[in-house]
Amino acid sequence: MSYAGQVTTPEAEQAQDETPEQAPQDGGARPEERLEKAVRAAEQALIEYEIAVETFRVEVENFSRLHHQKLGPMYARLDELDALIAEAVAARSGDPEDRRKAAEARARVLPMPGVDELFHGWMDGDGLLPEAAAMLTDQSVRPPQRVRPSDEARKLYRELVRKAHPDLAQDEQERERRDAFIARVNAAYGRGDEALLRELHEEWDAGPVPDERRPTPSEELYARLEWLAQRKELLSVVARELEESAIGAMLKLAPDDPDRLLDEIAEQLLAQVAEREAELEQLRGRVT
C-alpha cells in the first residue's frame, strides 16, 4: 500500500510501517492476543493517517478560498484583457480566423454577476454587514478573519481525534456518540476555532470512559484487520486526489508559508496585467 507523502505525520509513517506481520510478537501469547495487538496497531495507523488526510484537506480548502479571494479578480482582469486584445486584432485584420479567436476569448470571460451575487457577503436579512457599512462610511474595514487553523488548534484537533475516533468504539451506540462528537470537532477545526476545540477537549474528558477492550474471536479480528486495510485504501485515494488537484499542487510548493506563495503569484499576475494593458494600448493606437 502506498501513501502520499504530503499528508503523513511522523506518527502515521511509523504506524503505516507496522503491519500485522511486523507487529510486536510474543511467543508465549495466545493467537488471539497477537491478533488483538495487530488490530490495535492497525487502528492507530488508520487514525493517524485519517488525521493527516483531514488536516491536509482543511489546508487545501482554506488555501482555495484565500486563492479565490485574492487572485480571482486578477484572473478575471487577464481574461478580459485577452478578449479585448483578440477583438482589437480582429478589428485591425478583418480576418475570419481572428474573429473566431476573438469570439472564443470573449466566451471565456465570466459574465457580469447578477444582483444577488453582487450583494453576496455584503448584505443579509438584517441589512448591510459591518464590513459593508464601514466601507460606505469611509471607516476602516475589518480585515477578513484568518481561517487557517493555528498550531495550537492543530494540536488540540489531533488530541481530540486520537481520543474520540469512532473506530475505537466497542459497540454501535458508542460509535454513534463518537461520530456525532467528531463531526463537531471537524467543524470547529475547519473554522480554526481554537476556543471551541478547548471546550470540546474538556467535554470529552468529562464524558463517560469507554469500556476496556474485551477479547474477541479470531474470525472477528481478521475481519477487523481487513476492514481497516480497506478504509486506509479509500483514504489513500482521497489523499492522492487532494495532492494532484491544482490547489493541492500549489500548496505543496510552500506548505509552511502559503501566504507568501499567494503574494508571489499576485505579483506575477500584476506583471501580466501590465503587459496585456500595454499591448492593448498599442493595438488601439494602431487601429486609430
Side-chain angles (χ1 to χ4, degrees):
M1 187 182 302
S2 61
Y3 303 99
Q6 175 68 37
V7 293
T8 58
T9 63
E11 298 90 341
E13 290 172 351
Q14 181 179 0
Q16 289 165 11
D17 293 336
E18 189 173 279
T19 62
E21 292 76 18
Q22 297 169 326
Q25 298 295 316
D26 185 351
R30 59 187 176 84
E32 282 188 3
E33 288 178 347
R34 292 197 296 270
L35 274 175
E36 287 169 2
K37 290 181 180 179
V39 167
R40 286 196 291 269
E43 285 176 341
Q44 290 305 312
L46 178 63
I47 290 173
E48 293 297 335
Y49 192 55
E50 190 164 341
I51 288 173
V53 172
E54 177 63 14
T55 299
F56 189 57
R57 186 197 66 77
V58 170
E59 287 291 327
V60 169
E61 183 178 295
N62 289 334
F63 187 75
S64 177
R65 186 181 298 112
L66 293 172
H67 179 273
H68 177 73
Q69 291 174 348
K70 187 167 187 175
L71 305 182
M74 298 184 191
Y75 286 120
R77 178 59 177 163
L78 280 173
D79 288 342
E80 175 66 22
L81 287 169
D82 286 340
L84 291 173
I85 290 172
E87 289 166 352
V89 170
R92 181 168 176 260
S93 68
D95 187 284
E97 180 63 16
D98 287 340
R99 291 197 183 100
R100 184 189 64 79
K101 292 179 180 179
E104 290 180 353
R106 177 54 62 186
R108 287 193 294 269
V109 178
L110 293 175
M112 180 66 67
V115 174
D116 292 341
E117 294 174 279
L118 287 172
F119 283 105
H120 178 67
W122 291 90
M123 181 178 292
D124 59 14
D126 297 325
L128 286 175
L129 295 176
E131 292 83 355
M135 180 171 286
L136 292 175
T137 55
D138 294 329
Q139 298 176 10
S140 60
V141 180
R142 179 173 57 85
Q145 184 178 1
R146 290 178 62 87
V147 293
R148 187 172 298 114
S150 64
D151 290 340
E152 181 62 19
R154 294 184 186 185
K155 177 182 176 182
L156 290 168
Y157 172 77
R158 290 174 181 274
E159 292 174 355
L160 281 166
V161 174
R162 290 190 183 105
K163 288 182 177 182
H165 199 282
D167 289 346
L168 299 178
Q170 301 298 311
D171 53 54
E172 189 60 30
Q173 183 177 2
E174 175 65 6
R175 171 174 283 277
E176 290 176 1
R177 184 177 81 90
R178 288 171 176 264
D179 279 334
F181 184 82
I182 288 296
R184 295 165 60 198
V185 171
N186 287 338
Y189 180 70
R191 296 192 302 271
D193 195 335
E194 185 176 322
L196 180 54
L197 287 171
R198 285 200 180 91
E199 292 177 8
L200 290 169
H201 209 289
E202 294 174 359
E203 176 181 329
W204 183 260
D205 288 343
V209 179
D211 294 332
E212 293 296 326
R213 177 181 290 277
R214 294 171 296 180
T216 55
S218 297
E219 293 81 6
E220 185 173 337
L221 289 170
Y222 275 119
R224 178 68 168 165
L225 284 173
E226 183 178 356
W227 181 88
L228 290 168
Q230 292 173 353
R231 174 65 177 166
K232 218 163 194 179
E233 287 289 354
L234 292 175
L235 286 173
S236 297
V237 173
V238 174
R240 283 194 296 270
E241 289 178 351
L242 285 170
E243 291 190 342
E244 293 172 2
S245 67
I247 293 297
M250 291 175 61
L251 187 56
K252 284 165 60 179
L253 296 175
D256 297 327
D257 191 6
D259 291 331
R260 177 182 59 80
L261 178 60
L262 286 177
D263 291 339
E264 291 177 356
I265 297 174
E267 291 179 3
Q268 296 172 6
L269 291 176
L270 286 174
Q272 293 177 29
V273 167
E275 292 174 0
R276 301 286 207 290
E277 289 177 338
E279 181 180 355
L280 179 61
E281 186 66 24
Q282 187 177 15
L283 283 169
R284 285 175 169 173
R286 291 178 181 175
V287 171
T288 57

